[in-house]
Every structure is written in structure tokens, then in C-alpha cells.
Amino acid sequence: GAVVSQHPSRVICKSGTSVKIECRSLDFQATTMFWYRQFPKQSLMLMATSNEGSKATYEQGVEKDKFLINHASLTLSTLTVTSAHPEDSSFYICSATQGNGNTIYFGEGSWLTVV
Amino acid sequence: GESVGLHLPTLSVQEGDNSIINCAYSNSASDYFIWYKQESGKGPQFIIDIRSNMDKRQGQRVTVLLNKTVKHLSLQIAATQPGDSAVYFCAENTGNQFYFGTGTSLTVIP
């Protein structure tokens, strides 16, 4: 089946630094990728939707200058958390789909800890 | 945005029993629905999907039922096993957006 890979699976960074998380669709072309944040024992919270070659659409309340999303190709999207703070520590998950009416597949998630 | 809600936040079942997890959705125009399983610390895994032109779909030990009249979706797991313990989310597809419910935590008691 379709596979979406996230990297790194775990990362620890210092306050004030930036960290990049990659999301790759391994065996299909993903016209749309989504980024989520998840707190313990809570549901997924959609942060932004990105379509290849265009700017990401951010959900209300998500700072686009803090969470930079780039969808440079049909198989890769990146999320960069800039000037990270401890409150940015969370589980970040991406997903990808070939488009309308197609199944959405998730990556394994990336644990970010900001110290 | 659209809301997809789950009736029960937690569910405990005895090993070997059948489990039923429910989900209500709000957009009658949604035409594609998916159930996901998320184990602790991992990303959600696809379980089964159903399109709006169907009212039932079966997989291996799982069945999804769709009632468009009352906008209700359910996931039935037959002969629940300890490995089924996880959080289960439903999702509805509206246009190019997917909206997720809050999740039901299923615990299987050995």
C-alpha cells in the first residue's frame, strides 16, 4: 500500500533554533499534503494544507511565519518550525493524498522536543 | 470548518467480543469516509473506507456502516483482540479537505 515517510522521527532542539521535518510520499505522487499537530490524548489538529508548487493554506490560529511549509515536489513537503520554543514541543504528523476522493495516508509522525 | 464528532471518548471491551465505534458527521455533502487506527506515539493507520454510494463495506474483521439519513458512521471490529487497543478516528472528505473526529480510545481487556 501507499507509504508516507516522515523524518526525523524524533528531534530535540534548543530554544530559538529552527528545525525541519520532512514528509515524503514513497510510491505515489501527492498533489496535496497536510500537516497536523497532536497533543497527548487529543485528536489531530490540522495546521495547514499544501499543494505542490503553491503556497500552503494555514488554518486559523496557526502562524505561517513560525511554521514554514514548503511543498517543492509531488513527493516532498517540509515543515520548518522557526525560533522554536518549549511550547512548540509536540507530535507533528503529515499526510498525503493524490487528491479528491482518494485515500489520505499518514506518516509515522515526528516528536519534537524543544529544550 | 466542518465537524466530525465521536459519541464516546472511551470504550472497553472483553477480548473476543465485538466492538462498535460510532461517529457522527455534519456535512451531508461529504462523499468519502475513512476510519483510522492510531496506536500510542504513532501516526494514524488506514483501516477501511467507504464512499457515499454505499452503506456497508467489509474488510478483514472490520465492517464500516454508513447511514446518510442520520449522518452516522460506525466501525465494527469482530472478535476484538488486544492488538486492537488504540484510538480510532473517523474522517470525512469534503472537497479536498479531510476533517477528523476527536477519537475513541478502545481498550481490550484480556
Side-chain angles (χ1 to χ4, degrees):
Chain A
V3 177
V4 175
S5 173
Q6 262 184 261
H7 177 80
S9 56
R10 290 185 180 273
V11 58
I12 301 172
C13 71
K14 291 185 178 179
S15 254
T17 63
S18 296
V19 61
K20 181 186 289 186
I21 301 169
E22 293 186 346
C23 178
R24 293 181 186 273
S25 58
L26 298 185
D27 54 0
F28 67 100
Q29 292 188 323
T31 54
T32 306
M33 286 184 168
F34 305 90
W35 285 95
Y36 308 84
R37 185 173 180 177
Q38 188 176 36
F39 294 102
K41 300 192 184 300
Q42 294 189 21
S43 65
L44 301 171
M45 183 186 77
L46 180 65
M47 299 174 66
T49 301
S50 85
N51 293 295
E52 186 266 339
S54 62
K55 288 184 179 180
T57 301
Y58 289 81
E59 295 297 301
Q60 193 172 9
V62 178
E63 299 175 59
K64 61 182 179 182
D65 294 330
K66 179 165 185 63
F67 298 100
L68 300 178
I69 291 170
N70 182 276
H71 192 162
S73 76
L74 284 171
T75 58
L76 174 65
S77 176
T78 60
L79 167 68
T80 302
V81 182
T82 63
S83 187
H85 287 197
E87 56 264 33
D88 297 326
S89 299
S90 190
F91 190 47
Y92 292 88
I93 305 173
C94 74
S95 67
T97 179
Q98 289 178 286
N100 267 1
N102 283 285
T103 302
I104 187 169
Y105 294 96
F106 287 85
E108 280 297 308
S110 299
W111 286 100
L112 170 64
T113 303
V114 184
V115 297
Chain B
E2 303 298 333
S3 65
V4 180
L6 294 183
H7 292 311
L8 296 173
T10 60
L11 177 66
S12 295
V13 298
Q14 207 69 39
E15 182 178 357
D17 287 351
N18 297 335
S19 302
I20 299 176
I21 301 171
N22 297 303
C23 177
Y25 63 95
S26 59
N27 189 346
S28 56
S30 293
D31 57 5
Y32 181 48
F33 305 86
I34 308 173
W35 278 101
Y36 292 93
K37 172 186 180 183
Q38 186 177 22
E39 296 177 29
S40 181
K42 296 184 178 180
Q45 292 175 286
F46 171 91
I47 300 174
I48 192 168
D49 59 0
I50 189 167
R51 298 195 184 272
S52 59
N53 61 351
M54 303 171 68
D55 53 21
K56 180 179 179 179
R57 189 155 189 235
Q58 288 184 293
Q60 189 175 15
R61 282 201 305 118
V62 294
T63 301
V64 56
L65 299 177
L66 175 63
N67 185 331
K68 295 182 286 295
T69 303
V70 295
K71 291 183 283 189
H72 184 268
L73 192 68
S74 69
L75 176 71
Q76 300 178 1
I77 305 173
T80 314
Q81 302 169 0
D84 296 327
S85 294
V87 175
Y88 292 81
F89 298 95
C90 67
E92 64 173 314
N93 178 208
T94 304
N96 202 29
Q97 294 291 336
F98 284 82
Y99 297 91
F100 296 90
T102 53
T104 293
S105 177
L106 174 66
T107 301
V108 181
I109 304 166

